[in-house]
mmCIF file of all heavy atoms in Angstrom:
data_model
loop_
_atom_site.group_PDB
_atom_site.id
_atom_site.type_symbol
_atom_site.label_atom_id
_atom_site.label_comp_id
_atom_site.label_asym_id
_atom_site.label_seq_id
_atom_site.Cartn_x
_atom_site.Cartn_y
_atom_site.Cartn_z
ATOM 1 N N GLY A 280 15.437 -44.704 0.908
ATOM 2 C CA GLY A 280 15.563 -44.978 -0.507
ATOM 3 C C GLY A 280 16.415 -44.015 -1.310
ATOM 4 O O GLY A 280 16.521 -44.066 -2.519
ATOM 5 N N GLY A 281 17.076 -43.003 -0.593
ATOM 6 C CA GLY A 281 17.945 -42.053 -1.258
ATOM 7 C C GLY A 281 17.257 -40.819 -1.774
ATOM 8 O O GLY A 281 17.842 -40.023 -2.472
ATOM 9 N N PHE A 282 16.034 -40.598 -1.394
ATOM 10 C CA PHE A 282 15.305 -39.350 -1.714
ATOM 11 C C PHE A 282 15.657 -38.305 -0.677
ATOM 12 O O PHE A 282 15.678 -38.639 0.527
ATOM 13 C CB PHE A 282 13.810 -39.568 -1.809
ATOM 14 C CG PHE A 282 13.333 -40.448 -2.887
ATOM 15 C CD1 PHE A 282 13.380 -41.851 -2.752
ATOM 16 C CD2 PHE A 282 12.967 -39.931 -4.134
ATOM 17 C CE1 PHE A 282 12.953 -42.715 -3.739
ATOM 18 C CE2 PHE A 282 12.558 -40.785 -5.153
ATOM 19 C CZ PHE A 282 12.557 -42.143 -4.996
ATOM 20 N N SER A 283 15.896 -37.095 -1.094
ATOM 21 C CA SER A 283 16.305 -36.097 -0.090
ATOM 22 C C SER A 283 15.429 -34.810 -0.249
ATOM 23 O O SER A 283 14.792 -34.590 -1.268
ATOM 24 C CB SER A 283 17.764 -35.702 -0.253
ATOM 25 O OG SER A 283 18.025 -35.125 -1.498
ATOM 26 N N TYR A 284 15.443 -33.986 0.753
ATOM 27 C CA TYR A 284 14.725 -32.727 0.738
ATOM 28 C C TYR A 284 15.525 -31.677 1.455
ATOM 29 O O TYR A 284 16.382 -31.989 2.276
ATOM 30 C CB TYR A 284 13.322 -32.860 1.357
ATOM 31 C CG TYR A 284 13.382 -32.966 2.907
ATOM 32 C CD1 TYR A 284 13.328 -31.812 3.698
ATOM 33 C CD2 TYR A 284 13.561 -34.226 3.524
ATOM 34 C CE1 TYR A 284 13.462 -31.935 5.057
ATOM 35 C CE2 TYR A 284 13.658 -34.313 4.914
ATOM 36 C CZ TYR A 284 13.589 -33.159 5.674
ATOM 37 O OH TYR A 284 13.670 -33.270 7.011
ATOM 38 N N SER A 285 15.237 -30.429 1.119
ATOM 39 C CA SER A 285 15.857 -29.288 1.735
ATOM 40 C C SER A 285 14.802 -28.146 1.819
ATOM 41 O O SER A 285 14.319 -27.716 0.773
ATOM 42 C CB SER A 285 17.063 -28.832 0.937
ATOM 43 O OG SER A 285 17.614 -27.652 1.498
ATOM 44 N N VAL A 286 14.438 -27.735 2.965
ATOM 45 C CA VAL A 286 13.397 -26.691 3.146
ATOM 46 C C VAL A 286 14.108 -25.371 3.176
ATOM 47 O O VAL A 286 15.150 -25.206 3.822
ATOM 48 C CB VAL A 286 12.596 -26.917 4.448
ATOM 49 C CG1 VAL A 286 11.698 -25.754 4.717
ATOM 50 C CG2 VAL A 286 11.830 -28.229 4.382
ATOM 51 N N HIS A 287 13.546 -24.392 2.485
ATOM 52 C CA HIS A 287 14.049 -23.022 2.433
ATOM 53 C C HIS A 287 12.889 -22.037 2.455
ATOM 54 O O HIS A 287 11.934 -22.276 1.696
ATOM 55 C CB HIS A 287 14.916 -22.775 1.200
ATOM 56 C CG HIS A 287 14.169 -23.113 -0.041
ATOM 57 N ND1 HIS A 287 13.301 -22.242 -0.677
ATOM 58 C CD2 HIS A 287 14.187 -24.250 -0.811
ATOM 59 C CE1 HIS A 287 12.778 -22.820 -1.756
ATOM 60 N NE2 HIS A 287 13.296 -24.013 -1.850
ATOM 61 N N GLY A 288 12.924 -21.023 3.214
ATOM 62 C CA GLY A 288 11.886 -19.980 3.229
ATOM 63 C C GLY A 288 10.523 -20.573 3.187
ATOM 64 O O GLY A 288 10.081 -21.300 4.042
ATOM 65 N N ARG A 289 9.801 -20.334 2.046
ATOM 66 C CA ARG A 289 8.431 -20.808 1.880
ATOM 67 C C ARG A 289 8.398 -21.956 0.882
ATOM 68 O O ARG A 289 7.464 -22.188 0.241
ATOM 69 C CB ARG A 289 7.548 -19.693 1.385
ATOM 70 C CG ARG A 289 7.372 -18.576 2.435
ATOM 71 C CD ARG A 289 6.097 -17.822 2.294
ATOM 72 N NE ARG A 289 4.895 -18.570 2.102
ATOM 73 C CZ ARG A 289 4.117 -19.072 3.063
ATOM 74 N NH1 ARG A 289 4.466 -18.938 4.299
ATOM 75 N NH2 ARG A 289 2.977 -19.719 2.767
ATOM 76 N N GLY A 290 9.515 -22.694 0.743
ATOM 77 C CA GLY A 290 9.524 -23.730 -0.236
ATOM 78 C C GLY A 290 10.381 -24.943 0.182
ATOM 79 O O GLY A 290 10.976 -24.988 1.270
ATOM 80 N N CYS A 291 10.472 -25.884 -0.780
ATOM 81 C CA CYS A 291 11.217 -27.125 -0.546
ATOM 82 C C CYS A 291 11.770 -27.656 -1.802
ATOM 83 O O CYS A 291 11.109 -27.640 -2.860
ATOM 84 C CB CYS A 291 10.274 -28.122 0.081
ATOM 85 S SG CYS A 291 11.048 -29.715 0.586
ATOM 86 N N ARG A 292 13.021 -28.063 -1.742
ATOM 87 C CA ARG A 292 13.692 -28.699 -2.910
ATOM 88 C C ARG A 292 13.730 -30.213 -2.546
ATOM 89 O O ARG A 292 14.202 -30.618 -1.487
ATOM 90 C CB ARG A 292 15.080 -28.161 -3.066
ATOM 91 C CG ARG A 292 15.869 -28.814 -4.176
ATOM 92 C CD ARG A 292 17.181 -28.132 -4.322
ATOM 93 N NE ARG A 292 18.042 -28.760 -5.281
ATOM 94 C CZ ARG A 292 19.056 -29.522 -4.962
ATOM 95 N NH1 ARG A 292 19.437 -29.665 -3.723
ATOM 96 N NH2 ARG A 292 19.744 -30.087 -5.916
ATOM 97 N N MET A 293 13.268 -31.026 -3.477
ATOM 98 C CA MET A 293 13.265 -32.469 -3.279
ATOM 99 C C MET A 293 14.055 -33.079 -4.438
ATOM 100 O O MET A 293 13.956 -32.665 -5.622
ATOM 101 C CB MET A 293 11.821 -33.012 -3.269
ATOM 102 C CG MET A 293 10.956 -32.429 -2.163
ATOM 103 S SD MET A 293 9.216 -32.765 -2.382
ATOM 104 C CE MET A 293 8.736 -31.524 -3.626
ATOM 105 N N VAL A 294 14.850 -34.091 -4.082
ATOM 106 C CA VAL A 294 15.695 -34.735 -5.111
ATOM 107 C C VAL A 294 15.587 -36.262 -4.995
ATOM 108 O O VAL A 294 15.636 -36.801 -3.925
ATOM 109 C CB VAL A 294 17.207 -34.338 -4.906
ATOM 110 C CG1 VAL A 294 18.085 -34.928 -5.946
ATOM 111 C CG2 VAL A 294 17.322 -32.802 -4.894
ATOM 112 N N GLY A 295 15.415 -36.870 -6.177
ATOM 113 C CA GLY A 295 15.360 -38.302 -6.226
ATOM 114 C C GLY A 295 16.734 -38.874 -6.303
ATOM 115 O O GLY A 295 17.697 -38.185 -6.549
ATOM 116 N N PRO A 296 16.833 -40.198 -6.066
ATOM 117 C CA PRO A 296 18.146 -40.863 -6.142
ATOM 118 C C PRO A 296 18.818 -40.789 -7.487
ATOM 119 O O PRO A 296 20.020 -40.887 -7.614
ATOM 120 C CB PRO A 296 17.946 -42.319 -5.716
ATOM 121 C CG PRO A 296 16.388 -42.458 -5.710
ATOM 122 C CD PRO A 296 15.818 -41.161 -5.776
ATOM 123 N N ASP A 297 17.984 -40.503 -8.525
ATOM 124 C CA ASP A 297 18.510 -40.366 -9.891
ATOM 125 C C ASP A 297 18.906 -38.943 -10.212
ATOM 126 O O ASP A 297 19.352 -38.652 -11.296
ATOM 127 C CB ASP A 297 17.451 -40.852 -10.912
ATOM 128 C CG ASP A 297 16.174 -40.013 -10.881
ATOM 129 O OD1 ASP A 297 16.022 -39.168 -9.960
ATOM 130 O OD2 ASP A 297 15.309 -40.238 -11.704
ATOM 131 N N GLY A 298 18.782 -38.018 -9.232
ATOM 132 C CA GLY A 298 19.227 -36.619 -9.387
ATOM 133 C C GLY A 298 18.096 -35.713 -9.849
ATOM 134 O O GLY A 298 18.333 -34.550 -10.013
ATOM 135 N N ALA A 299 16.894 -36.275 -10.109
ATOM 136 C CA ALA A 299 15.773 -35.414 -10.451
ATOM 137 C C ALA A 299 15.456 -34.422 -9.389
ATOM 138 O O ALA A 299 15.279 -34.829 -8.256
ATOM 139 C CB ALA A 299 14.548 -36.271 -10.782
ATOM 140 N N GLU A 300 15.430 -33.091 -9.756
ATOM 141 C CA GLU A 300 15.176 -32.042 -8.769
ATOM 142 C C GLU A 300 13.795 -31.445 -8.965
ATOM 143 O O GLU A 300 13.437 -31.047 -10.058
ATOM 144 C CB GLU A 300 16.186 -30.932 -8.949
ATOM 145 C CG GLU A 300 17.617 -31.298 -8.654
ATOM 146 C CD GLU A 300 18.556 -30.175 -8.844
ATOM 147 O OE1 GLU A 300 18.173 -29.017 -8.548
ATOM 148 O OE2 GLU A 300 19.709 -30.434 -9.240
ATOM 149 N N ILE A 301 13.004 -31.378 -7.900
ATOM 150 C CA ILE A 301 11.757 -30.780 -7.897
ATOM 151 C C ILE A 301 11.739 -29.710 -6.845
ATOM 152 O O ILE A 301 12.113 -30.000 -5.667
ATOM 153 C CB ILE A 301 10.661 -31.807 -7.535
ATOM 154 C CG1 ILE A 301 10.536 -32.912 -8.624
ATOM 155 C CG2 ILE A 301 9.282 -31.119 -7.373
ATOM 156 C CD1 ILE A 301 10.104 -32.492 -9.961
ATOM 157 N N GLU A 302 11.393 -28.505 -7.181
ATOM 158 C CA GLU A 302 11.327 -27.399 -6.251
ATOM 159 C C GLU A 302 9.976 -26.827 -6.304
ATOM 160 O O GLU A 302 9.453 -26.495 -7.372
ATOM 161 C CB GLU A 302 12.419 -26.377 -6.589
ATOM 162 C CG GLU A 302 12.346 -25.187 -5.717
ATOM 163 C CD GLU A 302 13.727 -24.749 -5.218
ATOM 164 O OE1 GLU A 302 14.736 -25.356 -5.562
ATOM 165 O OE2 GLU A 302 13.743 -23.780 -4.421
ATOM 166 N N MET A 303 9.388 -26.586 -5.108
ATOM 167 C CA MET A 303 8.050 -25.962 -4.994
ATOM 168 C C MET A 303 8.061 -24.889 -3.933
ATOM 169 O O MET A 303 8.862 -24.987 -2.979
ATOM 170 C CB MET A 303 7.052 -27.079 -4.582
ATOM 171 C CG MET A 303 6.956 -28.302 -5.453
ATOM 172 S SD MET A 303 6.163 -28.045 -7.007
ATOM 173 C CE MET A 303 4.483 -27.737 -6.529
ATOM 174 N N ASP A 304 7.238 -23.920 -4.108
ATOM 175 C CA ASP A 304 7.011 -22.894 -3.107
ATOM 176 C C ASP A 304 5.550 -22.984 -2.614
ATOM 177 O O ASP A 304 4.662 -23.436 -3.331
ATOM 178 C CB ASP A 304 7.276 -21.494 -3.654
ATOM 179 C CG ASP A 304 8.700 -21.136 -3.624
ATOM 180 O OD1 ASP A 304 9.521 -21.813 -2.947
ATOM 181 O OD2 ASP A 304 9.052 -20.165 -4.293
ATOM 182 N N LEU A 305 5.346 -22.495 -1.397
ATOM 183 C CA LEU A 305 3.968 -22.463 -0.828
ATOM 184 C C LEU A 305 3.468 -21.005 -0.860
ATOM 185 O O LEU A 305 4.185 -20.170 -0.321
ATOM 186 C CB LEU A 305 3.980 -23.000 0.578
ATOM 187 C CG LEU A 305 2.615 -23.137 1.276
ATOM 188 C CD1 LEU A 305 1.805 -24.233 0.584
ATOM 189 C CD2 LEU A 305 2.797 -23.387 2.762
ATOM 190 N N LEU A 306 2.374 -20.806 -1.517
ATOM 191 C CA LEU A 306 1.818 -19.449 -1.615
ATOM 192 C C LEU A 306 1.039 -19.160 -0.308
ATOM 193 O O LEU A 306 0.680 -20.051 0.483
ATOM 194 C CB LEU A 306 0.916 -19.339 -2.814
ATOM 195 C CG LEU A 306 1.619 -19.537 -4.181
ATOM 196 C CD1 LEU A 306 0.602 -19.425 -5.295
ATOM 197 C CD2 LEU A 306 2.779 -18.644 -4.368
ATOM 198 N N LEU A 307 0.677 -17.880 -0.085
ATOM 199 C CA LEU A 307 -0.011 -17.481 1.095
ATOM 200 C C LEU A 307 -1.392 -18.171 1.271
ATOM 201 O O LEU A 307 -1.844 -18.368 2.362
ATOM 202 C CB LEU A 307 -0.161 -15.974 1.129
ATOM 203 C CG LEU A 307 1.137 -15.189 1.270
ATOM 204 C CD1 LEU A 307 0.930 -13.709 1.215
ATOM 205 C CD2 LEU A 307 1.856 -15.550 2.611
ATOM 206 N N ASP A 308 -1.984 -18.525 0.135
ATOM 207 C CA ASP A 308 -3.310 -19.130 0.215
ATOM 208 C C ASP A 308 -3.218 -20.674 0.413
ATOM 209 O O ASP A 308 -4.208 -21.376 0.454
ATOM 210 C CB ASP A 308 -4.140 -18.850 -1.049
ATOM 211 C CG ASP A 308 -3.556 -19.492 -2.310
ATOM 212 O OD1 ASP A 308 -2.561 -20.169 -2.258
ATOM 213 O OD2 ASP A 308 -4.205 -19.339 -3.365
ATOM 214 N N GLY A 309 -1.984 -21.183 0.603
ATOM 215 C CA GLY A 309 -1.807 -22.610 0.860
ATOM 216 C C GLY A 309 -1.563 -23.445 -0.403
ATOM 217 O O GLY A 309 -1.319 -24.667 -0.294
ATOM 218 N N SER A 310 -1.664 -22.863 -1.563
ATOM 219 C CA SER A 310 -1.426 -23.630 -2.795
ATOM 220 C C SER A 310 0.099 -23.724 -3.055
ATOM 221 O O SER A 310 0.869 -22.896 -2.648
ATOM 222 C CB SER A 310 -2.132 -23.029 -3.992
ATOM 223 O OG SER A 310 -1.758 -21.693 -4.190
ATOM 224 N N GLU A 311 0.443 -24.768 -3.759
ATOM 225 C CA GLU A 311 1.853 -25.020 -4.154
ATOM 226 C C GLU A 311 2.089 -24.436 -5.509
ATOM 227 O O GLU A 311 1.273 -24.489 -6.403
ATOM 228 C CB GLU A 311 2.152 -26.520 -4.117
ATOM 229 C CG GLU A 311 1.932 -27.103 -2.721
ATOM 230 C CD GLU A 311 2.205 -28.611 -2.691
ATOM 231 O OE1 GLU A 311 2.727 -29.183 -3.709
ATOM 232 O OE2 GLU A 311 1.865 -29.228 -1.672
ATOM 233 N N ALA A 312 3.263 -23.829 -5.680
ATOM 234 C CA ALA A 312 3.586 -23.195 -6.955
ATOM 235 C C ALA A 312 5.006 -23.531 -7.425
ATOM 236 O O ALA A 312 5.856 -23.807 -6.624
ATOM 237 C CB ALA A 312 3.494 -21.670 -6.757
ATOM 238 N N PHE A 313 5.156 -23.372 -8.745
ATOM 239 C CA PHE A 313 6.379 -23.521 -9.412
ATOM 240 C C PHE A 313 6.378 -22.573 -10.616
ATOM 241 O O PHE A 313 5.352 -22.107 -11.002
ATOM 242 C CB PHE A 313 6.767 -24.938 -9.799
ATOM 243 C CG PHE A 313 5.691 -25.574 -10.693
ATOM 244 C CD1 PHE A 313 5.807 -25.533 -12.073
ATOM 245 C CD2 PHE A 313 4.609 -26.260 -10.144
ATOM 246 C CE1 PHE A 313 4.865 -26.069 -12.915
ATOM 247 C CE2 PHE A 313 3.672 -26.786 -10.958
ATOM 248 C CZ PHE A 313 3.779 -26.724 -12.349
ATOM 249 N N ASP A 314 7.564 -22.315 -11.158
ATOM 250 C CA ASP A 314 7.598 -21.393 -12.284
ATOM 251 C C ASP A 314 8.487 -21.956 -13.391
ATOM 252 O O ASP A 314 8.966 -23.110 -13.281
ATOM 253 C CB ASP A 314 8.111 -20.005 -11.821
ATOM 254 C CG ASP A 314 9.411 -20.077 -11.121
ATOM 255 O OD1 ASP A 314 10.178 -21.101 -11.249
ATOM 256 O OD2 ASP A 314 9.765 -19.131 -10.449
ATOM 257 N N ALA A 315 8.703 -21.161 -14.419
ATOM 258 C CA ALA A 315 9.475 -21.661 -15.617
ATOM 259 C C ALA A 315 10.900 -22.020 -15.185
ATOM 260 O O ALA A 315 11.482 -22.941 -15.664
ATOM 261 C CB ALA A 315 9.493 -20.525 -16.665
ATOM 262 N N TRP A 316 11.506 -21.211 -14.225
ATOM 263 C CA TRP A 316 12.856 -21.527 -13.780
ATOM 264 C C TRP A 316 12.907 -22.891 -13.147
ATOM 265 O O TRP A 316 13.814 -23.690 -13.416
ATOM 266 C CB TRP A 316 13.357 -20.462 -12.856
ATOM 267 C CG TRP A 316 14.706 -20.784 -12.306
ATOM 268 C CD1 TRP A 316 15.886 -20.569 -12.896
ATOM 269 C CD2 TRP A 316 15.012 -21.340 -11.005
ATOM 270 N NE1 TRP A 316 16.935 -21.034 -12.091
ATOM 271 C CE2 TRP A 316 16.388 -21.479 -10.904
ATOM 272 C CE3 TRP A 316 14.208 -21.735 -9.962
ATOM 273 C CZ2 TRP A 316 17.006 -22.045 -9.820
ATOM 274 C CZ3 TRP A 316 14.840 -22.303 -8.810
ATOM 275 C CH2 TRP A 316 16.238 -22.403 -8.760
ATOM 276 N N ARG A 317 11.944 -23.195 -12.295
ATOM 277 C CA ARG A 317 11.926 -24.570 -11.632
ATOM 278 C C ARG A 317 11.689 -25.649 -12.659
ATOM 279 O O ARG A 317 12.260 -26.749 -12.500
ATOM 280 C CB ARG A 317 10.838 -24.552 -10.538
ATOM 281 C CG ARG A 317 11.225 -23.711 -9.359
ATOM 282 C CD ARG A 317 10.100 -23.525 -8.383
ATOM 283 N NE ARG A 317 10.501 -22.898 -7.148
ATOM 284 C CZ ARG A 317 10.643 -21.576 -7.045
ATOM 285 N NH1 ARG A 317 10.351 -20.789 -8.047
ATOM 286 N NH2 ARG A 317 11.015 -21.032 -5.874
ATOM 287 N N LEU A 318 10.915 -25.447 -13.644
ATOM 288 C CA LEU A 318 10.732 -26.403 -14.716
ATOM 289 C C LEU A 318 12.035 -26.613 -15.485
ATOM 290 O O LEU A 318 12.401 -27.740 -15.825
ATOM 291 C CB LEU A 318 9.658 -25.960 -15.746
ATOM 292 C CG LEU A 318 8.206 -26.045 -15.142
ATOM 293 C CD1 LEU A 318 7.278 -25.380 -16.182
ATOM 294 C CD2 LEU A 318 7.792 -27.453 -14.793
ATOM 295 N N GLU A 319 12.801 -25.563 -15.703
ATOM 296 C CA GLU A 319 14.079 -25.719 -16.381
ATOM 297 C C GLU A 319 15.085 -26.446 -15.560
ATOM 298 O O GLU A 319 15.806 -27.344 -16.041
ATOM 299 C CB GLU A 319 14.641 -24.291 -16.728
ATOM 300 C CG GLU A 319 15.989 -24.346 -17.428
ATOM 301 C CD GLU A 319 16.524 -23.023 -17.822
ATOM 302 O OE1 GLU A 319 15.769 -22.017 -17.866
ATOM 303 O OE2 GLU A 319 17.736 -22.894 -18.069
ATOM 304 N N VAL A 320 15.129 -26.145 -14.257
ATOM 305 C CA VAL A 320 16.048 -26.892 -13.367
ATOM 306 C C VAL A 320 15.712 -28.371 -13.367
ATOM 307 O O VAL A 320 16.549 -29.270 -13.460
ATOM 308 C CB VAL A 320 15.999 -26.330 -11.932
ATOM 309 C CG1 VAL A 320 16.682 -27.236 -10.941
ATOM 310 C CG2 VAL A 320 16.602 -24.944 -11.888
ATOM 311 N N PHE A 321 14.424 -28.700 -13.301
ATOM 312 C CA PHE A 321 13.970 -30.081 -13.317
ATOM 313 C C PHE A 321 14.397 -30.729 -14.636
ATOM 314 O O PHE A 321 14.975 -31.788 -14.656
ATOM 315 C CB PHE A 321 12.474 -30.219 -13.149
ATOM 316 C CG PHE A 321 11.948 -31.568 -13.610
ATOM 317 C CD1 PHE A 321 12.131 -32.689 -12.781
ATOM 318 C CD2 PHE A 321 11.298 -31.726 -14.795
ATOM 319 C CE1 PHE A 321 11.702 -33.877 -13.204
ATOM 320 C CE2 PHE A 321 10.853 -32.926 -15.211
ATOM 321 C CZ PHE A 321 11.041 -34.082 -14.415
ATOM 322 N N ALA A 322 14.086 -30.071 -15.731
ATOM 323 C CA ALA A 322 14.398 -30.667 -17.079
ATOM 324 C C ALA A 322 15.918 -30.975 -17.176
ATOM 325 O O ALA A 322 16.282 -32.090 -17.642
ATOM 326 C CB ALA A 322 13.972 -29.681 -18.196
ATOM 327 N N ARG A 323 16.715 -30.039 -16.791
ATOM 328 C CA ARG A 323 18.193 -30.305 -16.853
ATOM 329 C C ARG A 323 18.586 -31.458 -15.944
ATOM 330 O O ARG A 323 19.494 -32.198 -16.266
ATOM 331 C CB ARG A 323 18.939 -29.052 -16.522
ATOM 332 C CG ARG A 323 18.818 -27.954 -17.562
ATOM 333 C CD ARG A 323 19.717 -26.738 -17.230
ATOM 334 N NE ARG A 323 19.404 -25.610 -18.056
ATOM 335 C CZ ARG A 323 19.797 -25.409 -19.333
ATOM 336 N NH1 ARG A 323 20.467 -26.391 -19.900
ATOM 337 N NH2 ARG A 323 19.484 -24.336 -19.987
ATOM 338 N N SER A 324 17.961 -31.562 -14.786
ATOM 339 C CA SER A 324 18.343 -32.609 -13.818
ATOM 340 C C SER A 324 18.017 -33.998 -14.333
ATOM 341 O O SER A 324 18.623 -34.963 -13.880
ATOM 342 C CB SER A 324 17.663 -32.361 -12.443
ATOM 343 O OG SER A 324 16.284 -32.695 -12.471
ATOM 344 N N VAL A 325 17.051 -34.116 -15.252
ATOM 345 C CA VAL A 325 16.690 -35.443 -15.794
ATOM 346 C C VAL A 325 17.180 -35.620 -17.234
ATOM 347 O O VAL A 325 16.780 -36.565 -17.893
ATOM 348 C CB VAL A 325 15.183 -35.718 -15.680
ATOM 349 C CG1 VAL A 325 14.764 -35.801 -14.217
ATOM 350 C CG2 VAL A 325 14.366 -34.702 -16.446
ATOM 351 N N GLY A 326 18.016 -34.701 -17.720
ATOM 352 C CA GLY A 326 18.602 -34.838 -18.995
ATOM 353 C C GLY A 326 17.633 -34.418 -20.144
ATOM 354 O O GLY A 326 17.874 -34.833 -21.257
ATOM 355 N N MET A 327 16.588 -33.654 -19.862
ATOM 356 C CA MET A 327 15.699 -33.201 -20.877
ATOM 357 C C MET A 327 16.124 -31.784 -21.314
ATOM 358 O O MET A 327 16.720 -31.055 -20.563
ATOM 359 C CB MET A 327 14.242 -33.111 -20.357
ATOM 360 C CG MET A 327 13.675 -34.449 -19.987
ATOM 361 S SD MET A 327 12.141 -34.268 -19.058
ATOM 362 C CE MET A 327 11.094 -33.440 -20.295
#
């Protein structure tokens, strides 16, 4: 369907066919994390 992913270090960047970028990291306790920078990248990728 045109969705892509790219794994790096302890995280993964996922992109939708519309260009929406989601980036997450995996913490040592197994929880998924994101920060303000990742929210900004996402916002810009969807025109927000």
Side-chain angles (χ1 to χ4, degrees):
F282 293 86
S283 64
Y284 73 91
S285 176
V286 172
H287 56 81
R289 295 206 45 87
C291 183
R292 178 176 175 255
M293 299 167 281
V294 181
D297 61 353
E300 296 181 33
I301 298 292
E302 177 135 0
M303 304 286 292
D304 278 342
L305 186 68
L306 300 180
L307 294 176
D308 68 359
S310 58
E311 297 178 13
F313 57 91
D314 56 17
W316 176 79
R317 287 171 174 83
L318 290 173
E319 181 177 341
V320 168
F321 164 74
R323 291 185 192 285
S324 75
V325 296
M327 295 171 61

